[in-house]
Amino acid sequence: MAGYPLVGLALGSGGARGLAHAGVLAALEEAGIRPDRVAGTSMGAIVGGLYAQDPVPDKVWQRLLSYVGDDVFASYWAPFVPKGANQDHDHEHLARFSGIFDFMQRKLIAVKTVTRPWIQDEDKLRGPLLSLFGPGDFADLKIPFAAVALDLIAGKRVDFTEGPLVDGVYASSAIPGVFPPVRRDGRVICDGGGPYRCPVEACRDLGADLVIAVDIPSFENTNFNTGLDMILRSNTIARTRLNEYVVATADFVIRPAVNDCHWADFANGRVARDRGYAAGRAAVPQLQDLLRERRSVGHRVRRSLAAALKLG
């Protein structure tokens, strides 16, 4: 989409829910809307990086399916998914067994989280990412792209826009307490999904005139079985409130209806993708109107400037 305005796409974090981004990309492509700049946080960085490498939504989705469909990859995340999340249990005895297994897994995760700095080795994330992206560099991308992360020391945003692509995407996706952070130049860098859940500002810093934010809603867990559940819910509310202020600075917002999907339930990624596509399709008419309006304004401004220069 050459010309004015330069269109930026800010892809938010959300774990497995972020697979909705692939559906949004497909809907925009069908409408002839192609971003000139892309920024992404966490899963948004993974999807955005793939799109910046090869801006063909169908190829992006197929590569994502290969990534999340790997049995080894799935095994890393299965323990985080509560029993019954987007799953139907056909037999009572299976449900009971699953409940016992779920309880034991969650207890193990809790113990590891408070006794170790992280619970997965770096290669458990970096390895699959390297297989997904290859040894490419930011300079090789077809669309300017930023992977957004957080410096835990300074509390500031870190935008990866140069160097090995996998380094930036890993840093943006390294969930605190789950994967080791990146240590660089005195900084401790991890997943930026806390304060920078939807990277609107990073997208503007890439030069975008009009930013489309794809905001991934949080998982609405209101079953407070433990004190930890209540602490996590309170934290989710705080992050959501902050994100509302950030997303309000975008020119247009697409919000896929994936709030009932669990962030670690990659086995149901197609559901997220389909809902992203539906949200994108629904947004297209209004987005096209906005783009026509901005182009018309830009055209009038350019004509006025040209006339002023000619008179001068």
Side-chain angles (χ1 to χ4, degrees), residues 185-251:
D185 302 325
R187 298 179 294 179
V188 179
I189 306 170
C190 66
D191 187 318
Y196 306 110
R197 193 166 106 187
C198 197
V200 175
E201 187 177 3
C203 208
R204 292 201 191 280
D205 287 346
L206 286 174
D209 302 303
L210 185 152
V211 175
I212 304 167
V214 185
D215 183 33
I216 303 298
S218 297
F219 178 56
E220 297 294 341
N221 177 27
T222 54
N223 295 318
F224 308 132
N225 299 315
T226 68
L228 179 60
D229 288 334
M230 287 184 276
I231 291 171
L232 292 175
R233 176 58 179 163
S234 177
N235 181 58
T236 296
I237 292 170
R239 292 170 61 181
T240 300
R241 289 287 292 158
L242 172 61
N243 189 61
E244 287 173 358
Y245 289 105
V246 173
V247 171
T249 66
D251 298 277

Side-chain angles (χ1 to χ4, degrees), residues 20-41:
H21 291 313
V24 173
L25 286 170
L28 296 182
E29 175 73 20
E30 286 181 3
I33 301 171
R34 301 178 182 87
D36 305 291
R37 305 288 187 270
V38 179
T41 301

Side-chain angles (χ1 to χ4, degrees), residues 98-248:
S98 178
I100 295 170
F101 180 74
D102 176 65
F103 174 80
M104 294 174 64
Q105 288 279 28
R106 289 170 69 83
K107 284 290 186 182
L108 179 60
I109 291 170
V111 170
K112 285 185 175 181
T113 302
V114 299
T115 59
R116 299 170 54 182
W118 49 80
I119 61 177
Q120 295 282 14
D121 294 334
E122 179 176 324
D123 191 57
K124 296 294 179 65
L125 178 59
R126 183 177 288 275
L129 287 176
L130 186 58
S131 297
L132 180 65
F133 287 101
D137 193 278
F138 277 88
D140 303 324
L141 299 177
K142 297 178 181 178
I143 298 175
F145 167 66
V148 177
L150 168 67
D151 175 8
L152 287 174
I153 302 297
K156 295 182 179 179
R157 193 182 89 220
V158 180
D159 294 348
F160 286 83
T161 57
E162 58 184 22
L165 181 59
V166 167
D167 286 357
V169 175
Y170 173 87
S172 182
S173 308
I175 302 171
V178 179
F179 295 106
V182 173
R183 297 180 183 273
R184 178 179 296 180
D185 302 325
R187 298 179 294 179
V188 179
I189 306 170
C190 66
D191 187 318
Y196 306 110
R197 193 166 106 187
C198 197
V200 175
E201 187 177 3
C203 208
R204 292 201 191 280
D205 287 346
L206 286 174
D209 302 303
L210 185 152
V211 175
I212 304 167
V214 185
D215 183 33
I216 303 298
S218 297
F219 178 56
E220 297 294 341
N221 177 27
T222 54
N223 295 318
F224 308 132
N225 299 315
T226 68
L228 179 60
D229 288 334
M230 287 184 276
I231 291 171
L232 292 175
R233 176 58 179 163
S234 177
N235 181 58
T236 296
I237 292 170
R239 292 170 61 181
T240 300
R241 289 287 292 158
L242 172 61
N243 189 61
E244 287 173 358
Y245 289 105
V246 173
V247 171

